[in-house]
Amino acid sequence: MSEPTRSALRVASVSPSRTYEMMELAAQLQAAGRDVVSLAGGEPDFATPQHIQQAAIEAMARGETRYTAGAGMRPLREAVAMKFRQENGFECSWSDMIVSNGAKQVIANAFLATLDPGDEVLIPVPYWVSYPDMASLCGATPVTLPTSARSGFKILPQRLAAALTPRTRWLVINSPCNPTGAVYSAAELRGLADVLLDHPGVMVLSDDIYEHIVFAPGEFATLVQIEPRLAERVLTVNGVSKSYAMTGWRIGYGCGPSSLIRDMIKIQGQQTSSPCSISQWAALAALTGPQDFIDTARRQYLERRDLVVGQIRATPHLLCDSPAGAFYAFISCEGALGRRTASGDLIASDEDFVRRLLEQAGVALVPGSAFGAPGYVRLSYAASTEQLRKAGRRIRAFCAELQ
Ligand code: PLP
């Protein structure tokens, strides 16, 4: 007799999000009364700006509490088109746009709409945890493309050219990058665009979700802006989660070729329908209202980055470059491997390092292996300076005792 609740085969192709796992573990320890500094999560610690919250309240009071168009309401899609024109310098019609429950669902829709078994998704390493699992869930094969600390964790044109195969359906570009904070300059994107022009069968996912957290002024660039001829096969993905501290509102958007967007809308229509109407009104206020929050937040992230990098550089066995964007420090813990903690536990891997650091020093990070990069750990500095100082002291004391 067959097991009534047996899992579908595709379930085996995905693993739970390691970031969530670490956040939950830290929360459990905190609930049990342990003093844990959690720097595992990937979300701004700021409140959503007041005028955005107010727009949501007013939308509810006006009765904007019904389904909207499945692809998102037109005023929001028009506001996104305007954002792309004014901020990123490229044209995109509101009708070639989808609004989803976070950038995450935009990407999931895109993969579902295009991938078949045998297709490959080329993903530079280190990568955001969800790309490979999303590709696998569609029956496709995630193919990793190694980068090195020497190249600033960025792919070089010749390496890209060598990695593309006739099966490559998508290349993923994530700048600023989670977890490394790497930001591609316009010139670096130009180099990649030249390779891509020679490979007309490859689509590109440009995940720009950390666009506004770039520390060098004017450094952000996106592929379609650099090479408009690629617009017919680039999906530009962005959203309000990180820029406006709106992770819980779940609004992301994507703009791309009409046929792709049409298929994505079809899939979303049968899965979740429109994203939350109230959140869409809030996102509209975010995009069209005052933008000063973005600069204020960026300045704070910059201060925190410098604090964290300074602390890590003063910590034995750890190494860390100063990230150019996002709110993560990607730290090499290679120097700690093979050593033992004060209580005699061997640190054989980044996973061990993270586990022992949490148990013995009360700081939660995420192991680099979760991002395809063993020997590293990711620290999120979207936390108060006080918490960061405390974590820095604990990490340093923990490392200083390693034998
Ligand atoms: N892309 C990257 C690189 C991310 O780090 C995240 C969130 O952590 C997302 C996409 C998803 O963002 P959203 O909250 O809009 O779904």
Side-chain angles (χ1 to χ4, degrees), residues 49-345:
Q50 203 59 44
H51 71 279
I52 300 177
Q53 296 189 30
Q54 192 55 36
I57 293 166
E58 284 166 19
M60 275 189 277
R62 274 200 316 275
E64 306 280 7
T65 49
R66 298 167 183 260
Y67 296 130
T68 70
M73 61 187 199
R74 181 164 171 172
L76 178 55
R77 291 157 83 194
E78 285 175 344
V80 175
M82 179 77 85
K83 175 244 175 297
F84 282 134
R85 184 177 312 125
Q86 289 179 344
E87 274 195 325
N88 308 115
F90 68 84
E91 293 296 324
C92 170
S93 158
W94 69 272
S95 56
D96 293 336
M97 181 101 56
I98 184 169
V99 179
S100 304
N101 294 280
K104 200 169 203 170
Q105 194 192 12
V106 178
I107 301 168
N109 283 333
F111 283 3
L112 278 169
T114 50
L115 292 173
D116 286 314
D119 290 339
E120 294 177 353
V121 178
L122 191 55
I123 305 172
V125 183
Y127 46 71
W128 177 47
V129 291
S130 295
Y131 303 128
D133 291 283
M134 283 185 181
S136 302
L137 204 45
C138 299
T141 308
V143 176
T144 51
L145 176 53
T147 65
S148 67
R150 239 177 315 112
S151 68
F153 295 114
K154 293 186 241 186
I155 32 173
L156 303 172
Q158 60 274 30
R159 298 295 299 271
L160 172 62
L164 292 167
T165 77
R167 288 169 186 264
T168 312
R169 281 303 313 272
W170 286 96
L171 163 70
V172 175
I173 298 179
N174 172 215
S175 169
C177 172
N178 173 7
T180 62
V183 177
Y184 285 83
S185 67
E188 287 164 339
L189 286 178
R190 177 73 260 163
L192 299 183
D194 288 339
V195 174
L196 289 161
L197 286 172
D198 290 338
H199 293 80
V202 177
M203 285 182 290
V204 186
L205 170 67
S206 179
D207 182 345
D208 299 354
I209 194 79
Y210 293 95
E211 165 180 13
H212 289 122
I213 311 171
V214 172
F215 302 121
E219 180 78 0
F220 179 79
T222 188
L223 196 59
V224 175
Q225 172 189 21
I226 301 299
E227 181 44 89
R229 282 177 294 172
L230 288 174
E232 60 192 31
R233 53 197 171 94
V234 175
L235 178 68
T236 304
V237 177
N238 208 323
V240 294
S241 286
K242 317 286 177 176
S243 296
Y244 301 96
M246 292 178 70
T247 44
W249 300 76
R250 310 308 303 127
I251 296 291
Y253 46 82
C255 127
S258 312
S259 58
L260 170 64
I261 297 290
R262 199 171 49 237
D263 289 348
M264 290 165 63
I265 293 173
K266 196 154 107 182
I267 287 172
Q268 181 162 302
Q270 293 296 12
Q271 283 198 330
T272 55
S273 300
S274 67
C276 167
S277 59
I278 301 154
S279 295
Q280 290 190 64
W281 285 101
L284 180 60
L287 291 175
T288 57
Q291 300 295 303
D292 43 316
F293 172 80
I294 289 180
D295 269 340
T296 312
R298 184 179 31 223
R299 271 199 297 276
Q300 297 210 34
Y301 290 131
L302 178 59
E303 266 177 38
R304 295 163 175 192
R305 176 197 73 172
D306 291 344
L307 169 68
V308 164
V309 170
Q311 284 174 321
I312 296 300
R313 288 187 175 160
T315 300
H317 316 308
L318 300 185
L319 292 172
C320 173
D321 285 329
S322 194
F327 41 63
Y328 308 104
F330 204 54
I331 303 166
S332 166
C333 63
E334 285 278 350
L337 305 188
R339 297 176 186 271
R340 288 184 186 274
T341 66
S343 44
D345 301 300

Side-chain angles (χ1 to χ4, degrees), residues 18 21-23 25 29 36-37 39-40 318 331 333 336-337 341 346-371 375-379 398:
R18 297 295 305 283
E21 254 174 34
M22 283 310 296
M23 284 162 71
L25 199 55
L29 289 172
V36 171
V37 185
L39 305 179
L318 300 185
I331 303 166
C333 63
L337 305 188
T341 66
L346 176 69
I347 310 266
S349 64
D350 54 308
E351 309 253 358
D352 289 347
F353 183 89
V354 165
R355 179 150 31 95
R356 300 302 179 198
L357 183 72
L358 180 57
E359 285 168 6
Q360 297 174 20
V363 178
L365 306 179
V366 183
S369 331
F371 311 97
Y376 285 85
V377 293
R378 188 194 76 174
L379 179 156
F398 174 81

